[in-house]
Amino acid sequence: MTRVVPLLLTWLLMAGALPADAQGRAGRPPARPAPMKDPFFTSTLSKAEISNKQAVLDTTHGVIVLDLLADVAPTHVAHFITRAREGAYDGTVFHRVIAMGIIQGGDPISKDPSQTARYGTGGLGVLRFEENAEKHTRGAVSAVLVPGRRDSAGSQFFISVTDQPALDGQYTVFARVAEGITVAQKISTTPANATVPTERIEIRKVTIRERPAPVPEPFSTEPVGALSMRRVRLETTLGAITIEVFPDRAPNHVRQFLRLAASGVYDGTAFHRIVKGFVIQGGHMPTRRAPLEDKPASYVRSLAPEFNATLHERGIVSMARGDDPGSATSSFFIVLARSEALDGKYTAFGRVIEGMDVIETIEAAPLNGEEPVTRIEVTRATVN
């Protein structure tokens, strides 16, 4: 019996049941085991250090700028900022894409091109779920989770390229795309095997910066007298057209027309409708070759009518609309002949002062109904 205790202690020590200093002291209680380390991230950043911040993602397909939402997901934002400053995202890739759906990236394993089979498994399990009211609308940035584990977020994130309402409440939204949603859209449509891109789409660097102070929208503060000196030049595939504006008659329409022209909204649109002896119409957003970034897209908004005494005669520029008088947005028309039926029902806001010969060429274009057979495009609009 005298050997039982030493042999039992040896077995317990090898099994990890007692600490080493318990050997030979069976009469004393074992020491308490060290507490398990909390696997979840704890921020060392103050509220001021995570507030009003943006993340700039320099990718091989272009730049994406994120507004970080510290008010609704402070721990997620602090984690993202901390990891970004450590360089954790530099050299990672967008390893999963769903065309016009989402793009997913941020896995630290994806820095290694030889580990492609493991992409999507790294950098998780360090953030608890932060419930908030943010929706998965276009541009939402959310934390990736391990399936079935709500408290499993980490470095990986996904960007909603289009609205994804089915995801609301299931993932923590911690940022929104401020610039570069078309870059994200382009990434989403990259050729892929299932959802794995066939090319390496790298996040070259992530930089954290202060969110710039808001600036007034273009042409929102200029007085009417200054606006009246502005001219809009439309470079088209058939020649140039120059338009003077009437801010004293339709100030809000003029401000919006100048804003859209200066921000590139009209670039790549087409004159989609020609009614000989009546009007030519352009500026309709569905005719634009490429989608707009969020900022210029926000300038395309409905206008309250500003009907005035301007007669709709040859060369007058007026705003198109639907049945609702307040439904004008970006589409405009140029009058080809005196049209009394338009007076007082559409907002005239300018006049062609150069390029009536181009207008005549457009009017003479072959048509399929009211649509030109050959596309007549505004290649560039400028404000002088």
Side-chain angles (χ1 to χ4, degrees):
M1 294 294 294
T2 56
R3 293 205 251 169
V4 172
V5 170
L7 288 173
L8 178 60
L9 286 173
T10 300
W11 179 84
L12 289 173
L13 177 64
M14 293 175 61
L18 288 178
D21 63 359
Q23 188 170 356
R25 305 182 201 175
R28 299 174 64 180
R32 292 182 180 179
M36 293 183 62
K37 183 180 179 181
D38 186 351
F40 292 102
F41 169 81
T42 300
S43 174
T44 60
L45 302 177
S46 68
K47 182 177 180 180
E49 290 175 305
I50 65 174
S51 299
N52 202 43
K53 295 294 189 292
Q54 288 186 326
V56 182
L57 281 59
D58 176 17
T59 84
T60 50
H61 281 47
V63 174
I64 303 172
V65 180
L66 310 180
D67 282 339
L68 301 177
L69 307 178
D71 289 344
V72 298
T75 304
H76 280 66
V77 168
H79 180 265
F80 189 90
I81 290 174
T82 301
R83 296 293 173 259
R85 287 174 174 164
E86 294 171 349
Y89 295 109
D90 302 351
T92 62
V93 301
F94 286 103
H95 62 273
R96 182 176 181 234
V97 298
I98 298 176
M100 300 306 294
I102 67 166
I103 60 174
Q104 181 176 331
D107 183 350
I109 295 175
S110 69
K111 292 187 178 188
D112 186 352
S114 69
Q115 298 291 316
T116 53
R118 297 180 58 210
Y119 289 3
T121 64
L124 299 172
V126 297
L127 289 173
R128 292 185 176 88
F129 187 79
E130 285 186 285
E131 187 171 1
N132 58 54
E134 295 293 322
K135 303 297 184 183
H136 285 78
T137 51
R138 172 179 163 93
V141 185
S142 307
V144 173
L145 300 179
V146 176
R149 289 175 52 193
R150 205 177 198 204
D151 295 333
S152 62
S155 299
Q156 291 190 51
F157 62 90
F158 66 91
I159 299 175
S160 296
V161 176
T162 53
D163 292 356
Q164 303 295 327
L167 305 181
D168 290 349
Q170 299 185 51
Y171 299 87
T172 297
V173 178
F174 68 92
R176 290 197 174 276
V177 175
E179 300 172 28
I181 191 63
T182 56
V183 174
Q185 180 175 309
K186 180 181 177 183
I187 292 172
S188 82
T189 57
T190 300
N193 292 326
T195 60
V196 179
T198 57
E199 63 177 286
R200 189 171 174 84
I201 308 168
E202 188 169 309
I203 300 173
R204 293 184 288 215
K205 187 171 183 59
V206 175
T207 305
I208 304 300
R209 71 182 187 191
E210 293 293 319
R211 187 181 303 177
V215 296
E217 290 185 348
F219 306 104
S220 62
T221 59
E222 290 187 43
V224 167
L227 292 174
S228 66
M229 304 299 293
R230 298 288 188 170
R231 302 290 182 267
V232 174
R233 181 178 174 87
L234 304 177
E235 301 282 352
T236 82
T237 48
L238 294 179
I241 302 166
T242 301
I243 298 168
E244 67 172 342
V245 291
F246 305 148
D248 56 327
R249 309 177 200 180
N252 293 328
H253 282 66
V254 167
R255 291 184 193 280
Q256 181 145 313
F257 185 67
L258 295 175
R259 189 177 299 132
L260 298 182
S263 59
V265 170
Y266 288 126
D267 299 356
T269 60
F271 284 100
H272 64 284
R273 180 177 180 235
I274 299 173
V275 183
K276 297 181 186 296
F278 183 45
V279 300
I280 62 172
Q281 186 173 337
H284 189 40
M285 286 300 101
T287 71
R288 200 174 192 277
R289 285 190 179 274
L292 289 168
E293 290 282 358
D294 281 356
K295 177 60 73 175
S298 71
Y299 298 152
V300 182
R301 59 180 73 115
S302 297
L303 287 161
E306 294 178 299
F307 302 143
N308 54 69
T310 304
L311 301 180
H312 283 78
E313 52 194 12
R314 185 170 177 80
I316 288 295
V317 184
S318 193
M319 195 62 81
R321 62 171 177 81
D323 293 336
D324 180 358
S327 61
T329 56
S330 64
S331 186
F332 62 89
F333 60 87
I334 300 173
V335 180
L336 300 175
R338 177 75 178 101
S339 301
E340 293 89 345
L342 303 176
D343 294 345
K345 297 179 181 177
Y346 294 83
T347 300
F349 65 90
R351 179 186 1 245
V352 174
I353 56 173
E354 293 179 8
M356 284 306 299
D357 56 331
V358 177
I359 301 296
E360 292 172 1
T361 302
I362 294 174
E363 182 181 9
L367 302 175
N368 180 7
E370 295 181 346
E371 182 181 355
V373 173
T374 302
R375 181 178 171 87
I376 305 170
E377 184 169 304
V378 176
T379 56
R380 188 182 181 204
T382 55
V383 177
N384 303 309

